[in-house]
Amino acid sequence: GYSIWPVWCDGSKEMLEICKNKQIAKELIEQDLLVFPWPYQNEQFDHVISCGVFHFMGDLDRVFQEIARIQKTSGVFAFTVMDWNDDQGGQGGQERYKKQVEDGLDIFSHQISYIDTLLKNYHYHKEKEIVCFVGQTRFRAISARKIGALVSSG
């Protein structure tokens, strides 16, 4: 049998309050996902799901590194990214992602080649990828399995 311990990590107190009222998580943690390290032990989680989060972040390298740290080998990492077509041009280190402002918020779309490189660098094997739309915006939903542990350099 599996046991599920849903943890909701968010930088917004308002979002955490909504989650608390809906009782969708056993543990709620206020955490800026761009502040490292995250408050979790190495290999604490079997699986990691991040839906509708990465389009609020440009450079995902450190985020993927942290996910690889807290996830057990063989676990599934499922996530969404806002898709960016190769012909759109962009900004941000060798065109890995581009930024636009929508309703006063920075929104990022990511090159699939950048995402593939991150998965490879942090020992994930992409198992499934689908393209989906939210309104007119194209997203990719990706499922990848962690195939190896990170080697500590310390």
Side-chain angles (χ1 to χ4, degrees), residues 7-121:
V7 174
W8 190 279
C9 189
D10 203 299
S12 164
K13 288 182 184 192
E14 295 81 13
M15 233 9 210
L16 291 172
E17 189 61 32
I18 290 169
C19 293
K20 180 180 177 184
N21 292 336
K22 290 184 176 185
Q23 299 179 345
I24 63 172
K26 290 186 178 183
E27 184 177 347
L28 299 169
I29 296 176
E30 184 179 353
Q31 172 71 31
D32 182 339
L33 295 178
L34 296 176
V35 174
F36 307 100
W38 295 344
Y40 303 111
Q41 297 174 16
N42 293 350
E43 299 186 346
Q44 183 172 342
F45 298 103
D46 292 313
H47 308 292
V48 175
I49 300 171
S50 178
C51 182
V53 175
F54 293 154
H55 63 276
F56 295 110
M57 304 172 187
D59 187 355
L60 297 175
D61 186 82
R62 187 66 176 92
V63 173
F64 273 56
Q65 180 183 21
E66 194 66 1
I67 289 168
R69 179 187 70 80
I70 66 172
Q71 186 177 25
K72 295 176 184 175
T73 300
S74 298
V76 172
F77 174 27
F79 59 96
T80 58
V81 290
M82 186 182 292
D83 199 18
W84 167 25
N85 294 328
D86 290 340
D87 60 349
Q88 290 178 310
Q91 66 185 48
Q94 299 177 354
E95 301 187 342
R96 298 170 295 169
Y97 56 89
K98 73 170 189 158
K99 179 176 97 170
Q100 58 195 46
V101 178
E102 293 181 15
D103 298 323
L105 292 173
D106 291 345
I107 304 294
F108 298 89
S109 54
H110 297 86
Q111 286 275 18
I112 194 59
S113 60
Y114 173 52
I115 299 301
D116 288 344
T117 297
L118 291 174
L119 290 171
K120 179 182 175 191
N121 288 349

Side-chain angles (χ1 to χ4, degrees), residues 140-152:
R140 289 182 188 258
I142 298 171
S143 172
R145 186 165 303 275
K146 187 175 176 189
I147 57 174
L150 291 179
V151 177
S152 174

Side-chain angles (χ1 to χ4, degrees), residues 79 81 126 128-132 138-143:
F79 59 96
V81 290
K126 188 189 302 182
K128 187 165 188 171
E129 176 179 352
I130 61 170
V131 174
C132 51
R138 191 167 93 172
F139 282 82
R140 289 182 188 258
I142 298 171
S143 172

